[in-house]
């Protein structure tokens, strides 16, 4: 634990800002609904698009609901869904990449060609088609987001793993008679964790944007629940007045993605600085 | 001698900042002076501050380091007092630097000529045409092949030794008053080194340039230097005229260096009564990289018709220059590279060609120790984990029993037990190489394949590793295949020796046979190229003499591969007929048209 604290202290300023934002949003995702002053769907204000007041810190939305409460509850969908999908995409992509790296060209070639094919499918269109076909649900959104980003992660992880598989210590392990599983997990994987973490952060940001985009089109998380993207969409009519109801979720998306980006850049940098 | 010295360094201190932000000296209290036209050698192990001092003579300190005190005078100027632009005017112009690895100093996408004359053009010293003429003169003086056209080539079309010489041409094009050579031959084979040294000596000394020669090799320095400064841990241990340092060193550290440079010959262990089959036998082995073609040869053939045996507890030395296929033999035995044809027998039993089909016990009995401990140990693992893995894998040792055995192994290789939980990254080169060796020992093997285990280490550290290996061999009776490019090391520790040239065995025999002439012409070249620790050796050595002219070479695949460089080649024989394998009276076998009577007893 002290170790993690020391490493956080060693981050450059931008990294510290990123870390603070990430911790803030994780906290909101975890505890937000408990802190929300009003129920998500309750009509509590007399007016729509109210400015902020002591009762409604972020004003009210297009139906007169409390924006702060909706934001605190909605962040959970965005953060949780994106984190789960990024995790799923990264583990699947990396597992396939390791298989390709230790499996030789007979495994590597077809797998890589298949991934090249997947990567050429435009992700938004693909999601639109699936949502149109099956109807939107949290489970489907998770799968779509994960599936879309497997090939990207695979490519990066494979490039890393194939290089590492040529290292002398891997050759030593092979000459010792080690099985492929051991080589992949014990010898190769530990040396790619750093870049993979950075990649995970990047996928997370992409997925936040993809989900927000889908929600904005009305295809994401369905009412009365709302993620940050749907909050922006449903309040679109307040854009002309510059209502807080639309600014707040937009700023939330921005700070979340910028925060994650700053943090991974800083981690990637200090990882390189340590040298190998 | 009344004249003021040309270069004078006084009280030089260079400092750097460590991780905790404290300032500490890298080198301190450095004083030396040299007259115009003299060569001064800086000698010491890696980390002793040689390069740091050499760089200060360019007015430069590595990032993070600063020249904190003292004066550096070159000619009239004190480099510590000059500003950036004045220094830039001097560098590559009045003061030139030749780095250790020329291969990485050249830009791969530009021609040699463009790069060699660049310093002259940058400093506006002469028009392009004149610079090119001058470059060609230098190419000629440096004994480069095709001096008139070599400038049009690209770096990848040239060998390491040629690039090193071209680097010298680049440095000398501006007629600098001071030349700094930083380990310019360390990365080269001995046979190339001698050519490069000759060329350097001719140009640097005969042009009367003042030079500073940085090296860890006393014997090389003996050929070049008028003065020697011995460094250790950032301080001068001893300084004086070359002859004094070489023949009457006063300092203990200098004496250690001298001793380490010439490994003591170890007596061969008593031959024990041997069981019928040798431990390892290789029969008719051909191997290479790439797909195996219809004719049974791989696309990039490397090894050709290799036959060898290693007895229990014996040491076989495999020697040859870079690219001769030494590591490839080890890879074939270990199963990493299936051979195209031929057999590897362990204890009289044929090993499956690749990794597939070998039993865990067969894996255990043969262990591979890679050349470069930096890459052979997984940086993500701790010392304990690296050593525990073979124990668990081969012997099923777990938990406390494994930990006890790891501690035993650390003790065996003379490392403190406290290292056990350390990550690999923080260890020194010598420590890593010991761990590398210990991992092989953990398997409890019968044969260790040691690929250049001391090449990347300083002489003193390398000598300690060799000492350790000899001891382990005595105690544990493990057979070793010792791969090296350094014939003096191999002659000192091996029972039998195999000389490899371009994948063919040109001479094999017991160690004693490598102490007396006649030798195969290539062995002769190898032995004759090892610098001796006395001035004047370079001029006397006949090694690397130009081969006699010869007619067209036939296209038979089994013709002698050494023929293009051989000083003893015979026209009408060597270029038309494959050489036979024949025994010599001294006990070795050679692959050559010459025999005892016709090889000159040099
Ligand atoms: N994977 C590979 N693919 C193709 N060619 C290779 C490969 N590995 C090595 N070679 C070639 O095989 C030849 C022998 O290489 P090897 O590594 O055995 O030489 P070596 O004697 O160990 O040299 P060094 O002293 O530099 O270690 C070289 O010409 C090299 O370029
Ligand atoms: S066979 Fe001819 S060319 Fe080859 S080493 Fe012997 S003398 Fe030289
Ligand atoms: Mg090698």
């Amino acid at each position: 634990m002290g170790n993690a604290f020391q490493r956080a202290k060693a981050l450059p300023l931008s990294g510290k800002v990123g870390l603070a934002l990430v911790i803030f949003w994780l906290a909101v995702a975890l505890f937000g609904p408990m802190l929300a002053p009003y129920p998500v769907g309750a009509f509590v204000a007399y007016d729509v698009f109210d400015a902020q007041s002591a009762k409604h810190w972020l004003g009210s939305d297009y139906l007169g609901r409390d924006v702060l409460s909706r934001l605190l509850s909605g962040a959970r969908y965005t953060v949780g869904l994106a984190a789960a999908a990024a995790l799923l995409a990264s583990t699947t992509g990396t597992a396939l990449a390791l298989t390709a790296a230790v499996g030789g060209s007979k495994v590597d070639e077809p797998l890589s060609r298949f991934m090249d094919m997947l990567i050429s499918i435009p992700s938004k269109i693909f999601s639109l088609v699936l949502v149109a076909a099956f109807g939107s649900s949290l489970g489907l959104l998770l799968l779509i987001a994960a599936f879309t980003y497997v090939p990207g992660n695979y490519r990066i992880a494979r490039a890393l793993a194939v290089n590492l598989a040529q290292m002398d210590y891997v050759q030593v392990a092979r000459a010792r008679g080690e099985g492929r599983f051991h080589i992949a997990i014990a010898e190769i994987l530990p040396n790619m964790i750093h870049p993979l973490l950075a990649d995970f952060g990047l996928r997370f940001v992409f997925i936040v944007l993809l989900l927000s985009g889908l929600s904005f089109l009305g295809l994401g998380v369905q009412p009365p629940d709302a993620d940050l993207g749907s909050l922006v969409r449903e309040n679109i009519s307040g854009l002309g007045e510059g209502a807080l109801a639309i600014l707040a979720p937009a700023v939330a998306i921005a700070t979340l993605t910028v925060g994650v980006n700053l943090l991974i850049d800083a981690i990637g940098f200090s990882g390189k600085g340590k040298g190998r | 001698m009344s004249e003021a010295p040309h270069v004078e360094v006084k009280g030089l201190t260079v400092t750097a900042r460590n991780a905790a932000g404290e300032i500490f000296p890298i080198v301190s209290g450095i004083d030396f002076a040299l007259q115009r036209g003299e060569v001064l050698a800086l000698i010491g192990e890696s980390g002793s501050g040689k390069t740091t001092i050499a760089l200060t003579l360019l007015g430069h300190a590595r990032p993070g380091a600063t020249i904190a005190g003292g004066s550096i005078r070159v000619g009239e100027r004190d480099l510590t007092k000059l500003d950036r632009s004045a220094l830039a005017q001097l560098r590559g112009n009045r003061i030139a630097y030749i780095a250790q690895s020329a291969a990485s100093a050249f830009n791969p996408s530009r021609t040699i000529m463009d790069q060699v004359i660049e310093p002259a053009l940058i400093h506006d010293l002469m028009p392009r045409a004149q610079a090119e003429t001058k470059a060609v003169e230098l190419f000629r003086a440096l004994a480069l092949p095709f001096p008139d056209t070599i400038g049009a080539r690209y770096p990848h079309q040239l060998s390491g030794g040629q690039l090193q010489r071209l680097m010298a041409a680049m440095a000398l094009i501006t007629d600098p008053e001071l030349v700094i050579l930083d380990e310019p031959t360390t990365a080269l084979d001995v046979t190339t080194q001698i050519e490069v040294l000759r060329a350097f000596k001719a140009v640097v000394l005969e042009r009367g340039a003042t030079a500073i020669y940085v090296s860890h090799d006393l014997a090389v320095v003996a050929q070049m230097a008028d003065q020697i400064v011995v460094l250790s841990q950032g301080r001068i241990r001893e300084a004086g005229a070359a002859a004094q340092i070489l023949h009457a060193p006063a300092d203990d550290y200098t004496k250690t260096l001298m001793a380490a440079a010439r490994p003591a010959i170890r007596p061969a262990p008593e031959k024990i009564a041997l069981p019928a089959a040798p431990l390892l036998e290789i029969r008719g082995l051909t191997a290479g990289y790439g797909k195996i073609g219809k004719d049974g040869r791989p696309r990039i053939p490397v090894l050709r018709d290799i036959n060898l045996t290693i007895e229990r507890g014996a040491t076989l030395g495999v020697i040859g220059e870079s690219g001769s296929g030494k590591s490839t033999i080890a890879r074939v035995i270990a199963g990493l590279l299936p051979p195209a044809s031929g057999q590897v027998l362990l204890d009289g039993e044929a090993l499956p060609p690749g990794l597939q089909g070998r039993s865990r016990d067969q894996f255990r009995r043969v262990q591979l120790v890679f050349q470069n401990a930096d890459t052979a140990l997984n940086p993500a693992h701790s010392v304990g984990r690296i050593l525990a893995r073979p124990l668990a894998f081969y012997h099923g040792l777990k938990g406390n029993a494994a930990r006890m055995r790891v501690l035993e192994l650390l003790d065996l290789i003379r490392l403190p037990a406290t290292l056990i939980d350390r990550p690999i990254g923080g260890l020194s080169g010598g420590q890593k190489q010991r761990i590398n060796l210990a991992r092989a020992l953990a398997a409890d093997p019968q044969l260790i394949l040691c690929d250049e285990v001391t090449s990347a280490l300083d002489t003193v550290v390398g000598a300690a590793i060799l000492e350790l290996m000899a001891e382990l061999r005595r105690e544990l009776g493990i057979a070793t295949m010792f791969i090296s490019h350094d014939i003096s090391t191999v002659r000192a520790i091996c029972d039998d020796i195999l000389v490899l040239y371009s994948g063919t065995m040109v001479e094999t025999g017991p160690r004693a046979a490598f102490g007396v002439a006649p030798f195969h012409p290539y062995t002769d070249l190898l032995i004759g190229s090892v610098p001796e620790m006395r001035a004047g050796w370079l001029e006397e050595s006949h090694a690397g003499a130009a081969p006699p002219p010869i007619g067209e070479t036939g296209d038979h695949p089994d013709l002698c591969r050494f023929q293009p460089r051989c000083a003893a080649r015979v026209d009408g024989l060597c270029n038309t007929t494959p050489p036979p394998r024949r025994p010599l009276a001294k006990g070795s076998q050679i692959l050559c048209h010459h025999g005892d009577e016709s090889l000159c007893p040099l």
Side-chain angles (χ1 to χ4, degrees), chain A:
Chain A
M1 220 45 226
N3 189 8
F5 185 70
Q6 267 179 7
R7 287 177 63 177
K9 250 175 76 176
L11 286 176
L13 181 66
S14 64
K16 286 191 185 127
V17 173
L19 184 66
L21 286 171
V22 168
I23 290 178
F24 172 76
W25 282 112
L26 279 179
V28 170
L30 283 176
F31 308 114
M34 286 175 237
L35 300 175
Y38 304 95
V40 186
F43 306 102
V44 288
Y46 296 110
D47 213 351
V48 299
F49 294 133
D50 243 353
Q52 86 255 44
S53 62
K55 271 167 93 186
H56 307 290
W57 289 4
L58 293 176
S60 65
D61 74 352
Y62 76 114
L63 292 176
R65 292 173 295 193
D66 181 48
V67 172
L68 180 62
S69 301
R70 287 186 66 75
L71 200 63
L72 286 174
S73 317
R76 164 170 288 192
Y77 289 104
T78 303
V79 175
L81 210 52
L87 198 64
L88 193 60
S90 294
T91 41
T92 316
T94 305
L96 291 174
L98 286 171
T99 313
V102 297
S105 60
K106 278 196 204 85
V107 183
D108 186 15
E109 284 286 324
L111 202 53
S112 295
R113 288 300 83 73
F114 180 65
M115 288 293 168
D116 285 349
M117 190 194 77
L118 288 189
I119 218 167
S120 63
I121 302 176
S123 60
K124 287 262 161 45
I125 311 269
F126 173 73
S127 341
L128 289 181
V129 170
L130 282 189
V131 173
F134 299 107
S136 184
S137 70
L138 285 184
L140 184 70
L141 287 176
L142 175 72
L143 283 184
I144 290 176
F147 187 73
T148 309
Y149 289 107
V150 165
N153 175 272
Y154 170 86
R155 270 206 181 177
I156 289 183
R158 180 188 165 274
L160 287 167
V162 165
N163 276 336
L164 289 172
Q166 296 306 317
M167 296 298 292
D168 284 350
Y169 54 83
V170 175
Q171 301 298 318
V172 171
R174 290 181 57 210
R176 188 160 66 223
E178 298 280 6
R180 288 180 183 166
F181 186 74
H182 172 89
I183 289 182
I185 300 297
E187 304 285 345
I188 299 182
L189 184 62
N191 289 297
M192 41 198 276
I193 288 294
H194 245 292
L196 282 182
L197 270 182
D199 183 68
F200 172 82
L202 211 59
R203 304 280 149 215
F204 176 83
V205 171
F206 287 157
I207 293 174
V208 168
L209 297 177
L210 175 72
L211 290 176
S212 301
L214 285 179
S215 297
F216 186 76
L217 295 173
L219 300 171
V221 177
Q222 297 300 311
D225 293 325
D227 69 348
L228 297 177
S230 353
L231 288 179
V232 174
R233 184 190 106 93
E234 60 189 22
N235 293 304
I236 194 81
S237 52
L239 191 59
E241 313 169 25
L244 267 181
I246 185 164
L247 287 183
V251 169
I253 294 175
T255 50
L256 174 61
T257 51
V258 168
V260 172
N261 253 319
L262 286 178
L263 182 63
I264 59 178
D265 280 356
I267 291 177
F269 178 77
S270 65
K272 246 178 245 143
K274 271 199 307 184
R276 267 205 289 154

Side-chain angles (χ1 to χ4, degrees), chain B residues 194 198 201 223 528-529 532 534-545 602:
Chain B
I194 188 171
R198 279 210 180 103
K201 183 150 195 179
Q223 311 313 315
S529 302
E532 286 172 23
R534 60 188 171 87
W537 164 83
L538 189 61
E539 288 71 21
E540 290 162 30
S541 168
H542 64 276
L602 292 164

Side-chain angles (χ1 to χ4, degrees), chain A residues 167-169 171-172 174-178 180 182 186-187 190-191, chain B residues 336 355 363 370 375-381 385 389 393-394 439:
Chain A
M167 296 298 292
D168 284 350
Y169 54 83
Q171 301 298 318
V172 171
R174 290 181 57 210
R176 188 160 66 223
E178 298 280 6
R180 288 180 183 166
H182 172 89
E187 304 285 345
N191 289 297
Chain B
L336 290 172
L355 293 168
F363 278 124
F370 268 106
T375 56
L377 302 174
N378 195 329
H381 294 175
R385 179 163 177 198
R389 181 62 199 172
F393 187 71
Y394 294 124
R439 172 171 58 188

Side-chain angles (χ1 to χ4, degrees), chain B residues 67-381:
Chain B
I67 301 177
S71 68
I72 307 157
R73 191 174 57 74
V74 177
E76 311 290 76
R77 316 171 193 89
D78 185 346
L79 299 189
T80 53
K81 301 213 166 63
L82 295 182
D83 61 9
R84 262 165 186 283
S85 66
L87 284 173
Q89 265 306 308
L90 284 181
R91 291 181 192 149
N93 180 5
R94 307 311 309 143
I95 305 176
Y97 185 78
I98 301 179
Q100 174 163 358
S101 166
S104 58
F106 278 98
N107 178 342
S109 63
R110 296 175 59 205
T111 63
I112 292 295
M113 180 58 88
D114 275 351
Q115 302 187 55
V116 166
I117 62 172
E118 192 169 10
L121 301 185
I122 288 182
H123 294 287
D124 257 334
L125 297 179
M126 56 187 99
R128 189 179 183 94
Q130 192 190 336
E132 288 188 3
T133 323
K134 183 146 189 220
V136 172
E137 264 169 44
L138 280 168
F139 295 160
R140 197 162 279 130
L142 286 161
L144 283 157
F146 313 108
D148 296 307
T149 53
I150 197 169
R153 298 205 215 171
Y154 287 89
H156 71 267
Q157 296 166 317
L158 297 158
S159 74
Q162 290 167 342
L163 286 175
Q164 206 70 49
R165 277 178 277 173
L166 287 164
M167 183 97 178
M170 188 198 291
L172 295 172
I173 192 108
T174 57
D175 284 324
E177 54 180 294
L178 174 62
V179 184
I180 299 159
L181 302 103
D182 192 354
E183 305 250 15
T185 63
T186 305
L188 305 175
D189 277 310
V190 273
T191 48
T192 322
Q193 169 170 289
I194 188 171
E195 289 167 23
V196 175
L197 280 180
R198 279 210 180 103
F200 279 180
K201 183 150 195 179
V203 256
V204 176
L205 301 197
E206 281 156 27
R207 281 171 188 243
T210 313
I212 294 196
Y213 195 105
V214 177
S215 179
H216 68 275
D217 189 340
L218 271 169
V220 166
V221 158
Q223 311 313 315
M224 306 288 286
D226 303 307
Q227 285 190 58
I228 297 182
V229 172
V230 182
L231 294 163
S232 166
Q233 295 174 355
R235 294 187 161 273
I236 294 186
R237 295 299 297 247
E238 184 169 8
Q244 180 253 309
I245 303 272
L246 291 170
H247 301 298
D251 187 78
D252 285 343
Y253 179 73
T254 318
K255 288 178 190 160
T256 328
L257 269 183
M258 302 279 287
R262 290 290 161 262
I265 307 274
R266 272 168 248 272
E270 294 285 300
K271 293 244 158 137
I272 18 170
L274 299 165
L279 178 61
L280 184 91
E281 186 173 1
I282 294 185
R283 288 192 196 142
L285 179 86
T286 300
Y289 299 89
K291 285 219 163 58
I292 294 174
K294 288 200 192 70
D295 57 351
R297 286 175 187 251
R299 201 169 55 77
I300 308 170
V302 177
L303 297 174
R304 196 171 54 168
D305 193 25
I306 302 291
N307 295 283
L308 61 86
T309 56
I310 303 179
E311 301 291 352
R312 256 155 245 284
T315 303
L316 172 74
V318 176
I319 170 154
E321 54 198 20
S322 176
S324 56
K326 305 183 297 289
S327 301
T328 307
I329 297 191
R331 294 170 58 85
V332 170
I333 300 174
L336 290 172
L337 179 74
S341 63
Q343 268 192 321
V344 179
L345 296 100
L346 186 64
D347 252 340
E349 201 182 309
L351 281 177
L355 293 168
Q356 262 98 39
R358 292 197 182 190
S359 71
R360 193 167 283 203
D361 194 54
Q362 285 171 332
F363 278 124
R364 177 187 65 77
R365 283 150 71 191
V366 180
Q367 291 291 310
L368 186 58
V369 180
F370 268 106
Q371 182 160 351
N372 191 343
D374 280 325
T375 56
L377 302 174
N378 195 329
H381 294 175

Side-chain angles (χ1 to χ4, degrees), chain B residues 518 582-584 590 592-600:
Chain B
R582 62 169 88 225
L584 294 182
I590 62 170
C592 185
H593 286 294
H594 289 296
D596 269 321
E597 48 313 318
S598 54
L599 279 171
C600 45

